[in-house]
């Protein structure tokens, strides 16, 4: 069984929403990444999209933007019951933000390994999986993914330069 096989239909629904947000980010001229924060009842609380290009901020990743917004709006107890769905595996910076925000679960579509096949810029790679980053934290964060990679890959086609 592959890791992605562990996600359920609800997870897939929210991953597709994150991919739609990634498409929206791309349409605005940003990198194609999106994320959704969902509470334990399946209610979407917040959305985040990449703003790296339009905000001229290298830290403006979808997951980072979402974690920042979530911390401003919800306390740690509420965030511990939430899941972040991401169109792509969170990078080490975003995994750290997820950890520090207190979010309890991460589900992602496209793996970092697959992303790097599209984004060959070797200077901007930090190939450390979110599982590895989060495994070093003082609290458990559930991580599921990759899942629906074929769907997640589509938003990246033609965006990255070789």
């Amino acid at each position: 069984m592959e890791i992605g096989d562990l996600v359920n239909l609800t997870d897939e629904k929210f991953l597709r929403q994150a991919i739609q947000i990634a498409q929206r980010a791309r349409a605005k001229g940003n990198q194609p990444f999106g994320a959704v924060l969902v509470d334990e009842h399946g209610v979407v609380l917040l959305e985040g999209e990449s703003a790296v290009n339009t905000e001229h901020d290298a830290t403006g990743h979808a997951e980072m933007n979402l974690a920042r917004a979530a911390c401003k709006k919800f306390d740690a107890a509420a965030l511990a019951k939430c899941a972040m769905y991401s169109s792509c595996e969170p990078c080490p910076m975003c995994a750290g933000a997820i950890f520090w925000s207190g979010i309890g679960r991460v589900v992602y579509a496209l793996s970092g390994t697959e992303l790097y096949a599209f984004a060959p810029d070797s200077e901007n790679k930090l190939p450390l999986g979110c599982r590895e980053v989060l495994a070093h934290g003082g609290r458990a964060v559930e991580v599921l993914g990759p899942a629906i990679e074929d769907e997640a890959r589509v938003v990246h086609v033609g965006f990255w330069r070789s």
Side-chain angles (χ1 to χ4, degrees):
M1 177 183 299
E2 293 183 11
I3 295 170
D5 292 339
L6 300 174
V7 300
N8 59 40
L9 293 176
T10 300
D11 291 334
E12 288 183 11
K13 176 181 94 169
F14 292 123
L15 287 173
R16 287 185 179 100
Q17 186 171 347
I19 294 166
Q20 289 174 347
I21 295 165
Q23 182 62 50
R24 185 174 71 209
R26 181 176 176 168
K28 292 178 182 176
N30 285 301
Q31 296 172 344
F33 300 103
V36 180
L37 185 70
V38 178
D39 73 10
E40 74 270 26
H41 304 293
V43 175
V44 174
L45 301 175
L46 294 169
E47 295 181 347
E49 64 185 61
S50 172
V52 169
N53 295 340
T54 56
E55 296 293 324
H56 307 285
D57 179 359
T59 67
H61 295 192
E63 302 90 346
M64 179 70 81
N65 292 337
L66 184 57
R68 284 183 185 130
C71 287
K72 291 177 184 176
K73 191 165 183 177
F74 304 104
D75 64 22
L79 290 173
K81 298 175 187 174
C82 290
M84 181 186 288
Y85 292 88
S86 181
S87 64
C88 190
E89 181 174 5
C91 74
M93 175 185 68
C94 293
I98 290 163
F99 175 80
W100 291 113
S101 71
I103 293 169
R105 185 171 186 254
V106 177
V107 184
Y108 65 89
L110 187 68
S111 71
T113 302
E114 284 295 312
L115 171 66
Y116 290 146
F118 284 98
D121 183 355
S122 63
E123 291 182 15
N124 289 316
K125 288 184 182 178
L126 189 53
L128 185 63
C130 71
R131 276 185 182 79
E132 187 173 350
V133 173
L134 292 168
H136 291 281
R139 68 175 181 83
V141 178
E142 181 183 8
V143 180
L144 296 177
I148 65 170
E149 284 194 285
D150 289 342
E151 294 177 47
R153 204 176 283 116
V154 172
V155 72
H156 293 274
V157 173
F159 181 83
W160 305 99
R161 307 282 186 258
S162 299

